[in-house]
Amino acid sequence: DELRSAIESKSQIKIRYENNEHRIVCPHVMYISSAGNKNLDAYQISGYSETPSNIPGWREFCVAKITDLIILDDNFEVADEYNPDNRERYVTIIARI
């Protein structure tokens, strides 16, 4: 799975989400939410956003709505405020850094 590989190698990815313009994000954790959705928490560093003033910043993506994914050659450091032990948010962790 490309997304799992990007998370484990701390590789930036370029995604298209809900068929909008591309975004560059740093994927930190893929998980099953309390609603049963497979989600990705990532730190967005550039690209499309409905709230561009909040970039860079944390975003939650429903994996099923990611329509394009390219693993980039650039790596990233763990972003501030990442809490891999947030069990209220991450019901079942699939992959995390």
Side-chain angles (χ1 to χ4, degrees):
D1 177 63
E2 285 184 304
L3 189 50
R4 181 188 305 261
S5 176
I7 292 167
E8 292 171 354
S9 64
K10 295 183 187 174
S11 297
Q12 293 179 11
I13 57 175
K14 181 177 182 180
I15 63 170
R16 185 180 303 272
Y17 186 70
E18 296 184 317
N19 293 317
N20 288 310
E21 298 296 317
H22 282 101
R23 307 164 189 238
I24 305 296
V25 302
C26 305
H28 281 61
V29 60
M30 181 171 42
Y31 60 98
I32 305 298
S33 71
S34 58
N37 299 316
K38 185 188 288 187
N39 290 344
L40 170 71
D41 277 3
Y43 195 77
Q44 184 172 342
I45 56 175
S46 67
Y48 175 81
S49 176
E50 292 178 4
T51 55
S53 62
N54 293 337
I55 296 176
W58 284 101
R59 299 287 191 274
E60 175 185 42
F61 300 100
C62 177
V63 172
K65 295 180 182 181
I66 297 174
T67 56
D68 190 23
L69 184 149
I70 299 168
I71 298 176
L72 303 176
D73 291 333
D74 297 319
N75 292 89
F76 64 89
E77 297 296 322
V78 176
D80 290 339
E81 301 174 13
Y82 172 58
N83 178 4
D85 298 318
N86 185 345
R87 296 295 174 206
E88 291 178 19
R89 182 168 183 80
Y90 309 134
V91 175
T92 302
I93 294 175
I94 299 167
R96 68 177 180 188
I97 56 173

